[in-house]
Amino acid sequence: MVVLVTGSSGQLGQSLQHIAPNYPGIQFIFCSSSDLDITNSSQCQTVFKKHQPQYCINAAAYTAVDKAETEPDKAHAINVTGVKNIAEGCKIYNTVLLHISTDFVFDGTKSTPYNESDLPNPTGVYGKTKLEGELAVKQTWDKYYIVRTSWVYSPFGHNFMKTMLRLASERDSISVVNDQIGTPTHAVDLANALVQIILTDNRQPTTNNFGIYHFSNEGQCSWYDFAKKIFEINKININLQSIPTSSFPTPAKRPSYSVLEKSKIKAFLELEIKDWEESLKTVTL
Ligand code: NDP
């Protein structure tokens, strides 16, 4: 089975590379942005023609949430036009698409976990382009799994955990917001869940399970709780202050609550999902 992975040098892409040896039955084709620029439609066609994959994991994205506010065209080109290009390649070669989306499609006004049928209402450019990307998939090709996830971290690339560890080496005190609630997701757990989707789909080729799914680790916390746990696990003593979002204004408005409800994916995959704190402990840098 051939699985094409776009954006392979990002957090999710590198996590998929990390777990690939555990799945010898899958031939992964890893394409970084220099191998395949998803905004280039003819390059997409060429890569699909060459590999004719059964599955494609689109791990490529514009993920700079604040920068997107001043680069909306670039965010749109990657998160919407690029996604459409990939979905078109999938349609031509009958490739099942696994596309990754975000909790930031929601506005955060709920106080119970968001399920797949809750109405999206993104508050920033990044979330808006990701939602448009979801629509581009749906409008282009039927065989898709859109997997929304949240607060992704890993030993790879840029993320909150690595930022906290860097700041702790530079400063005596750090302030982190305590009124945005979500669920951290270890990119390696997400990568394994995506492979499980592929294996499950492949076992049931005639069953239509396509659609939107939510995946994150279990539990919920604030960014402050997340930072506290990162320092505790790494045995770092630092003066950590909890502050409200109003004391830490950012260009992009973020949802104050974006916990994802996961019963749909758990029923589909019979998946044991780790608690976020347990998963955080497994990260080795
Ligand atoms: P990263 O930012 O770590 O990786 C994204 C990758 O996409 C990078 O390697 C980047 O390449 C690549 N890329 C950018 N533009 C293009 C392009 N035009 N063509 C091909 N590749 C391109 O993201 P994550 O791994 O963290 O995110 C994976 C998915 O999860 C994304 O869809 C994201 O929206 C979603 N998500 C992420 C969250 C998070 O907290 N990070 C939270 C919720 C959802 P290069 O390195 O060369 O720039």
Side-chain angles (χ1 to χ4, degrees), residues 9-12 33 36-38 60-61 63 100-101 126 130 149 152:
S9 42
Q11 290 199 78
L12 175 58
S33 59
L36 169 60
D37 173 358
I38 65 166
T63 57
I100 321 304
S101 192
Y126 166 73
K130 291 297 289 184
T149 190
V152 177

Side-chain angles (χ1 to χ4, degrees), residues 227-256:
K228 195 167 166 218
K229 202 69 189 173
I230 290 165
F231 295 137
E232 191 184 303
I233 290 169
N234 290 280
K235 299 185 174 57
I236 292 170
N237 268 323
I238 184 146
N239 179 6
L240 179 65
Q241 304 284 335
S242 78
I243 54 166
T245 299
S246 54
S247 301
F248 189 72
T250 51
K253 186 174 182 295
R254 288 156 166 79
S256 56

Side-chain angles (χ1 to χ4, degrees), residues 122-153:
T123 56
V125 169
Y126 166 73
K128 282 184 187 139
T129 60
K130 291 297 289 184
L131 180 60
E132 272 190 70
E134 292 185 7
L135 296 177
V137 170
K138 291 184 201 169
Q139 285 163 3
T140 309
W141 176 225
D142 299 337
K143 295 188 179 176
Y144 66 83
Y145 293 91
I146 291 172
V147 181
R148 294 189 186 131
T149 190
S150 61
W151 296 23
V152 177
Y153 68 91

